[in-house]
Amino acid sequence: RFGLGWAYPALARTMGAPVLEKARAPMNHARMVDRLLEVHGHEIFVDGAFNGDPHPGNFLLVQPGNMIGLIDYGQVKVMTLEQRLVLARLIKALCDGDDEKIAASMYEAGFRTKHQKQDVICKMARLYYDRNNKASTEGLHVQLYLEKLQAEDPIVSQADDYLMCGRVAVMLRGFGDALHQPRSTAQAWLPFAEALLREAGELPPAAPAEVQRRAKLAR
């Protein structure tokens, strides 16, 4: 077993971790990032309990078998069903590109800004829960982009519960970026969000093909 930060020297150097130059794990990077997103989506929306600190040092490559081991669940966050439904509505709205529902879901999640500007709130929602590529951050570094949004409409309050989910989304995307595998966490978590909303009667039943697709993702 060895940590992913050690397995990939370039990633290890950015973390200031020891480098094992000869370590090369024969893994599919795209599949690894997708699986980590799926696992954490399942933890959040299905289990209602997730690791709030999913950095590369907490991922192990387990040999033989090219399996991923998850360790150090010292920052576990538990979410109620209602909290999960609020987050599911937000993820659905992000994927649908519905700014009104995005802003409404953020408000429902306890997110408040000084002027409640819908465009700024939607941009913050996308930054936390969706993606942070150059197109979505207007070509700015993530930190500079967040400071720009803060200057336009400062955050007044936000619930820690949802902030932890955003932290997970950002950290997993950062890991994907380090492996040249950028992802949208909203798209990755959409099947789990929709399944939860269907169970709550907020969406119509899934078509047979969609049921099969979700079952494949869950494996």
Side-chain angles (χ1 to χ4, degrees), residues 88-209:
R89 295 181 196 115
L90 175 58
I91 294 298
K92 174 67 172 167
L94 284 166
C95 292
D96 290 345
D98 190 327
D99 284 1
E100 288 190 6
K101 289 185 178 179
I102 292 172
S105 296
M106 289 288 279
Y107 189 89
E108 192 175 10
F111 189 87
R112 303 287 187 276
T113 61
K114 184 175 181 179
H115 306 295
Q116 287 298 114
K117 292 183 177 180
Q118 179 174 293
D119 63 325
V120 174
I121 292 172
C122 290
K123 288 177 180 179
M124 288 185 175
R126 292 187 177 97
L127 181 61
Y128 291 162
Y129 303 103
D130 190 9
R131 60 175 74 245
N132 51 270
N133 54 22
K134 288 189 177 296
S136 63
T137 61
E138 302 173 6
L140 298 174
H141 182 276
V142 172
Q143 184 60 40
L144 293 176
Y145 183 62
L146 183 58
E147 290 174 3
K148 176 180 179 292
L149 296 178
Q150 278 279 69
E152 290 183 34
D153 193 6
I155 298 173
V156 174
S157 64
Q158 51 187 330
D160 290 343
D161 301 330
Y162 300 100
L163 186 61
M164 287 293 284
C165 292
R167 169 185 165 87
V168 170
V170 169
M171 293 183 77
L172 291 176
R173 290 202 308 270
F175 178 63
D177 289 343
L179 295 179
H180 305 288
Q181 296 294 327
R183 293 292 187 274
S184 159
T185 39
Q187 290 291 339
W189 291 347
L190 181 61
F192 299 105
E194 288 184 330
L196 186 62
L197 292 171
R198 286 192 175 96
E199 290 176 9
E202 297 188 23
L203 287 178

Side-chain angles (χ1 to χ4, degrees), residues 35-44 47-60 68-78 164 167-168 172 189:
R35 182 51 55 90
L36 286 169
L37 285 165
E38 291 167 16
V39 167
H40 288 82
H42 191 284
E43 289 181 353
I44 291 171
D47 300 328
F50 62 92
N51 180 14
D53 192 29
H55 62 76
N58 285 340
F59 306 147
L60 298 180
I68 302 174
L70 306 181
I71 63 172
D72 192 5
Y73 275 63
Q75 294 190 41
V76 171
K77 178 63 186 175
V78 176
M164 287 293 284
R167 169 185 165 87
V168 170
L172 291 176
W189 291 347

